[in-house]
Amino acid sequence: MVQPRYITDIDQITQIPKEEREKLKAITDKFVFRVNDYYLGLIDWEDPEDPIKKLVIPNTNELADYGRWDASDEDTNYVVPGCQHKYTTTALLICSEVCGAYCRYCFRKRLFRNDVKEAMIDVEPGIKYISEHPEINNVLLTGGDPLILAARRLDMIFERLREIDHVKIIRVGSKLPVFNPMRIYEDKELLDVISKHSKNDKRIYIMAHVNHPREITKEAYKGFQALHDAGAIVVNQTPVLKGINDDPEVLGELMDKLSWAGVTPYYFFINRPVRGNEDFVLTLEEAYNIVEEAKAKTSGLGKRVRLSMSHTAGKVEILAIEDGKAYLKFHQARDGDYGRFMVLDCPKDAAWFDDLPGNEQFWTPPQKKVEEVVSVNEMSDIPEKHRRRRSPALK
C-alpha cells in the first residue's frame, strides 16, 4: 500500500520561498505543522490566494492577539478524562491527537500543543461512563483524526462500543477522505472493520471535513465509494472561512459535488474565535448571506445543510439575519433548551454569539466537572518547548 509522504518541517516545502519559510518558523514553533505530498499536490503554487494552500500552510496572522485556545470551553464538557458529554444523547471520545494534516483554522489547535494532554489512549474510562448512561445513543470519535489510528485499534474501540446496547450510532470525525483518501480505499483491514461494525440498525457515520470543492478529487470519490460499500454513511461539515470558501459559487459547487457523491451536506459552521484564526473570520451577516446565496444554487439535497455556531451554550442555528437582527434557535443546547427561539440585535461587525448584545440572558457559563482536564485558556499563550513522547498506538 503506497501512502503519501508526511512532512512536518516547513523547510522541506521548497515551493515556498526560503525567506518566507524563515518567517513561518515562528508560527510552526507555536502551532504544530503537518501535511502530506498528496495534499500539497492540490495546491496551485502560482496563485498567492490559493484556498488549498491557505488551509494547511501557516499564515503570519496566526501570531496575532486574537481568540482563545478553547473558544467553546470544551474543558467544561469532560465527565472523565478523554470523554465529553455536553448534549444529552451524544458523547465524544477524544481518542486521537494526530491528523492527516493540520488545518490552520482548527478549533482544537490546543490539542497539538506540547503541554496539553486531552486525547486519551485509554478509552476505558469514557466507555465505562457511556455504558452507565443509557440516554447516550450516539458516540462521536474525534480528536485529532480517528482514521489515523491503526485498524486494529479502531476495531477494539468499535467492539467496546457495540457491547453497549443503547449506543446505536458511532460517528467518526475525519478529514482523511480528502487529506489521504488512499488510506481509506487501499486499506482492506480498515474497510473490513467498518463493515463489521456498521449494521442495518446500528450505523457508523463518517463525519467528513471537506472545505472546498477542489478537495474532491477522483481519489476522494474513490474513498467515499469505499466507505459507502463498507456500509458507512458519509456526511460533511465545514466552517465558512474567509479566503477559502467565502464565495456562493464555491459553496454551491461544494454542496453539489457532495450531493452527487452521496455525501450529505450536514453543517456549515461559523469559524470559532480560536487563537490564531484571525485570517479566517467573517461576520455573521457575511457568512449567512454567502450560505443563502449558495443554497439558491443547489438542489433540495444540498439545502439540507444548517448554519450554526458551536458555542459554549450549544449549537446556535442561524435562521436569518435581516435589518440588524439575528434570528436564532438552539439546535442543540447544553441546558436542555432545545429549539429555543432568540431574536437579538446583530451589529455589523458581530462574528460570534458573544458579540450579540443580550446573548447572556440565554445561557449560563458552565463549571468544569473534571479537575484532571487542564483549562488551556488559563495557560501561557506560548506552549512549552519540550516534546512529550507519543504512544506507538497514535503514530
Side-chain angles (χ1 to χ4, degrees):
M1 182 166 62
V2 179
Q3 288 295 306
R5 180 174 63 98
Y6 280 93
I7 299 160
T8 56
D9 181 354
I10 197 86
D11 258 338
Q12 292 181 21
I13 303 180
T14 54
Q15 297 96 327
I16 304 173
K18 190 174 192 319
E19 185 179 322
E20 188 180 342
R21 295 200 305 267
E22 287 300 317
K23 290 179 184 174
L24 295 180
K25 284 179 185 175
I27 299 152
T28 58
D29 282 347
K30 180 174 180 177
F31 298 113
V32 74
F33 172 75
R34 175 177 158 100
V35 73
N36 65 53
D37 53 9
Y38 163 79
Y39 198 78
L40 289 176
L42 304 185
I43 295 172
D44 177 1
W45 293 99
E46 300 300 311
D47 179 5
E49 300 301 316
D50 183 74
I52 308 300
K53 177 184 174 185
K54 289 183 177 183
L55 278 165
V56 290
I57 302 299
N59 67 80
T60 52
N61 267 353
E62 289 185 56
L63 299 179
D65 185 18
Y66 171 84
R68 298 190 301 147
W69 283 97
D70 184 1
S72 297
D73 300 297
E74 287 196 291
D75 62 315
T76 64
N77 299 337
Y78 283 96
V79 285
V80 295
C83 179
Q84 296 183 22
H85 188 196
K86 180 176 181 177
Y87 306 129
T88 304
T89 60
T90 304
L92 275 62
L93 287 177
I94 314 294
C95 60
S96 171
E97 60 180 3
V98 181
C99 283
Y102 293 126
C103 301
R104 306 320 300 179
Y105 68 83
C106 180
F107 72 89
R108 286 202 186 117
K109 277 184 171 177
R110 68 186 191 277
L111 287 190
F112 312 124
R113 287 177 58 136
N114 305 325
D115 49 2
V116 168
K117 183 65 177 172
E118 287 185 41
M120 289 290 130
I121 300 167
D122 181 11
V123 294
E124 285 302 319
I127 287 173
K128 182 175 185 294
Y129 175 89
I130 292 163
S131 71
E132 293 169 350
H133 288 77
E135 71 274 18
I136 296 172
N137 61 28
N138 72 102
V139 175
L140 171 64
L141 307 185
T142 183
D145 195 319
L147 290 189
I148 283 284
L149 299 174
R152 65 186 180 279
R153 174 137 188 88
L154 281 171
D155 187 33
M156 183 278 290
I157 296 172
F158 290 163
E159 191 82 52
R160 296 288 289 111
L161 289 171
R162 284 295 182 232
E163 291 169 358
I164 304 170
D165 188 57
H166 55 261
V167 174
K168 306 301 182 186
I169 290 172
I170 299 172
R171 295 191 272 168
V172 182
S174 180
K175 196 173 168 73
L176 238 59
V178 291
F179 266 158
N180 181 3
M182 293 70 70
R183 161 71 171 105
I184 294 168
Y185 65 73
E186 291 183 355
D187 190 338
K188 183 177 185 303
E189 188 181 0
L190 172 66
L191 295 170
D192 286 346
V193 166
I194 292 171
S195 181
K196 173 183 172 184
H197 296 289
S198 192
K199 302 300 182 185
N200 291 347
D201 58 342
K202 289 187 175 184
R203 286 291 178 190
I204 288 177
Y205 278 71
I206 304 298
M207 322 300 289
H209 298 247
V210 187
N211 308 125
H212 194 280
R214 269 179 42 208
E215 295 178 300
I216 306 177
T217 61
K218 67 179 187 299
E219 291 87 0
Y221 279 125
K222 199 170 172 182
F224 291 146
Q225 187 61 50
L227 290 167
H228 290 149
D229 290 346
I233 308 293
V234 188
V235 304
N236 189 66
Q237 49 196 33
T238 175
V240 186
L241 300 160
K242 183 178 179 181
I244 291 175
N245 56 19
D246 58 333
D247 179 332
E249 295 289 342
V250 169
L251 275 192
E253 183 184 355
L254 177 62
M255 287 189 284
D256 275 346
K257 279 192 164 182
L258 290 167
S259 297
W260 298 338
V263 177
T264 301
Y266 178 52
Y267 276 127
F268 285 142
F269 285 118
I270 298 298
N271 172 57
R272 299 191 205 190
V274 169
R275 207 72 181 149
N277 276 14
E278 186 174 41
D279 260 21
F280 305 112
V281 177
L282 295 164
T283 67
L284 298 181
E285 186 172 9
E286 286 171 334
Y288 171 75
N289 287 335
I290 291 165
V291 167
E292 287 304 305
E293 287 182 49
K295 284 163 69 175
K297 299 175 184 296
T298 191
S299 70
L301 294 172
K303 288 181 172 70
R304 290 176 291 179
V305 71
R306 296 174 185 268
L307 175 64
S308 71
M309 294 176 270
S310 280
H311 186 263
T312 305
K315 281 195 175 70
V316 180
E317 185 177 357
I318 299 174
L319 302 174
I321 294 179
E322 194 170 322
D323 298 330
K325 297 284 187 184
Y327 300 87
L328 315 167
K329 77 170 184 179
F330 276 121
H331 180 59
Q332 294 273 30
R334 173 194 292 275
D335 298 327
D337 254 352
Y338 295 97
R340 185 172 187 183
F341 181 63
M342 298 167 276
V343 182
L344 291 167
D345 289 337
C346 186
K348 280 286 184 186
D349 61 350
W352 191 238
F353 190 50
D354 294 349
D355 299 332
L356 303 177
N359 74 84
E360 307 88 351
Q361 66 188 292
F362 294 108
W363 66 289
T364 304
Q367 299 297 311
K368 274 178 63 173
K369 306 179 189 76
V370 177
E371 283 309 312
E372 303 100 290
V373 176
V374 297
S375 296
V376 187
N377 293 328
E378 297 171 8
M379 297 174 70
S380 165
D381 189 48
I382 305 298
E384 290 181 25
K385 288 285 186 186
H386 70 272
R387 293 296 299 174
R388 63 176 180 271
R389 289 181 63 191
R390 207 181 289 289
S391 162
L394 292 178
K395 285 183 180 176

